[in-house]
Structures are given as structure tokens and as C-alpha cells.
Amino acid sequence: TNLWKFSEGQSLATEKVAIENCTLSLYPSVWAVNSVINSYGINPEKLLVLPFGANINVYPENKPKIKNKVCNLLFIGVDWEGKGGSIAVDCLHELLKSGIDATLTIVGCNVPEQFVHTKIINHIFLNKNIPGQAAKLEQLFLQSDILILPTRIDAYGLVFCEASAYGVPSFGTDTGGVAGALHNGVNGYLMPYDAAGKDYAKKIAELFSNDELYYKMSKSSRKLFEEKLNWDSFGLGFKGMLKNKKIIL
């Protein structure tokens, strides 16, 4: 956005040449690969899908997650509008109206004044490279029951991988490459792009009110992290792809 047309065209042309000159290009989602094919006409055989991993330094302990009596929602995003902050707030209100006690912790951005609420906790930004702030973010994941991110546009969504590491089910938008990290019915649910706060609240209430279902999804979230959504798996997958393509580094 906010580029001159000349600069935009030059950037796209440069990216196309770069991809054409690569032996292989890896992308974290099918959507991203299809975008490259449709935009640049690249040979699909040069494009591979390999999920990215959670950006956490130490894996959390793998133990059954016990949900709280209060439904603690976690929202992480720097772009309030781009990540669907107002939808998350509407979801909180709907849960409270339905009789489910809930809180919403927002990390990464300022909550606009019109959305401030006693049940909303705001942490403007937490830097993982600062030990104290990284520890705080880890604590928020441990205390949360559900990650909600009604994103308007995303090429992937590393935060869904991170939530899965903590056994926290996620609710996100079925848009862009989100389905590469958020597997519907496994580590959470993909919601339609036009889903409103009340739609998120209804689906979240169904999960949170069912102890057995929540426990199973928490376990399957962690399992998906261990099998696919970590950087060790990415490295092994990349090594396997090089071997299959008979590429020697």
C-alpha cells in the first residue's frame, strides 16, 4: 500500500525474476503457492508448501490444559483493524450477554477509546527479545483458554502455531493462508470472513462449555504443534524436499 504505481510494478517484476531464478521456493500455505502461480505464472514444480513453526525459544511443558472457570480470550496483533480487533471485542460482549463470564487480553496494540471495557486487559507490546516481556507473554498463553484473531488478511499466522504449543485452541478467519497454520477442528476453528462477533461468541461458547471437547482440542492442538508447527519439523521437511529433488547444498 501507499506505493507509486511505478514502484509497485517494479517490486512485482523483481519478485517474479527472483522466484524464476530460484531452484525451489518454499511457502507456508497452499494459498501462498496459488497466489504465486496466479500472479506470476511460475511453474508449480518449483513451488513447495512447508508450514512455518512457532517462534518460541523454549517449548512449553506438554501437560493437559485445564480451562479456567472464566473464559479468558487472548488477542495478539499490532494492527487493530487489520487483525479484527473490533470483532474480538464484540465477541466478548456477546459472551457476557449470554451469561458466560469472560475476559479479553489484547497484546500488541492500543485499544481504541470507544472499545475500552472493564473486562479488557491491554498490553500495548511485548518484545520476545526482552526476557521479562517474553516471560509475560508466555504467562498470558498459559493463562488463556482461547486465542481469537478475526484477521482481515494474513499470509499465514505464526501466532496460531504459538497458541498450539501451549494447547490453546484458536479461532481465526478463513482468509489468505490462515488455513496453513489453523487446521479446522484440530487446533481450533476457521470462521467465515463475514462472521461477526456474535458468530465467534456462539462457536466459542460451544467449545468452552463442553469440557470433553475442549480437552480433546487442547490435546490435538499441542499434537499438531509437535508434528508440524515447529521449526525442527520445518528443517526435517526441508531436508527431505532437497533429497527428493536431488539438490546438494
Side-chain angles (χ1 to χ4, degrees):
T1 58
N2 299 325
L3 286 176
W4 289 351
K5 281 295 179 183
F6 170 78
S7 297
E8 181 181 340
Q10 191 177 49
S11 298
L12 293 172
T14 302
E15 183 172 47
K16 180 180 180 181
V17 171
I19 298 171
E20 286 175 337
N21 287 338
C22 286
T23 303
L24 285 176
S25 291
L26 273 61
Y27 297 87
S29 66
V30 173
W31 171 84
V33 166
N34 288 337
S35 295
V36 172
I37 294 171
N38 295 333
S39 298
Y40 302 134
I42 303 295
N43 181 355
E45 292 185 3
K46 297 179 66 173
L47 309 174
L48 297 171
V49 177
L50 190 59
F52 293 162
N55 283 341
I56 52 179
N57 293 326
V58 180
Y59 287 4
E61 185 180 355
N62 186 6
K63 61 181 182 179
K65 184 169 182 63
I66 301 174
K67 69 183 180 67
N68 299 287
K69 292 182 179 180
V70 175
C71 182
N72 292 329
L73 304 176
L74 179 63
F75 173 99
I76 300 177
V78 176
D79 182 356
W80 174 262
E81 291 189 5
K83 299 298 182 181
S86 60
I87 299 175
V89 173
D90 288 343
C91 171
L92 172 67
H93 287 297
E94 292 293 334
L95 286 171
L96 294 172
K97 282 199 301 184
S98 70
I100 295 178
D101 196 5
T103 67
L104 174 61
T105 298
I106 293 174
V107 179
C109 58
N110 274 317
V111 178
E113 187 176 349
Q114 66 268 32
F115 295 106
V116 172
H117 190 278
T118 55
K119 291 285 189 176
I120 294 178
I121 304 124
N122 192 189
H123 297 277
I124 297 176
F125 186 77
L126 293 174
N127 189 336
K128 294 178 186 176
N129 296 315
I130 300 175
Q133 294 186 26
K136 180 61 180 178
L137 185 59
E138 178 184 17
Q139 196 60 34
L140 291 176
F141 272 117
L142 290 170
Q143 294 171 351
S144 297
D145 299 295
I146 286 166
L147 176 77
I148 178 170
L149 196 71
T151 180
R152 303 293 82 198
I153 181 169
D154 249 304
Y156 186 58
L158 287 173
V159 70
F160 299 118
C161 305
E162 293 166 3
S164 296
Y166 289 89
V168 176
S170 300
F171 284 73
T173 316
D174 189 7
T175 188
V178 172
L182 179 50
H183 297 205
N184 200 37
V186 180
N187 61 335
Y189 293 101
L190 291 163
M191 301 293 289
Y193 188 86
D194 59 357
K198 63 181 180 181
D199 302 309
Y200 277 85
K202 181 180 178 181
K203 193 69 177 176
I204 288 173
E206 290 176 3
L207 175 62
F208 189 75
S209 300
N210 187 325
D211 291 350
E212 183 180 358
L213 180 60
Y214 182 89
Y215 177 75
K216 286 182 178 179
M217 182 158 286
S218 177
K219 284 188 66 176
S220 60
S221 296
R222 173 67 188 215
K223 187 171 184 285
L224 185 62
F225 161 74
E226 292 183 340
E227 292 178 350
K228 291 184 177 181
L229 304 181
N230 66 80
W231 287 109
D232 288 342
S233 294
F234 177 93
L236 290 171
F238 183 47
K239 182 179 179 181
M241 289 176 175
L242 293 178
K243 185 177 180 180
N244 289 338
K245 294 286 184 177
K246 297 181 179 180
I247 296 172
I248 301 175
L249 294 180

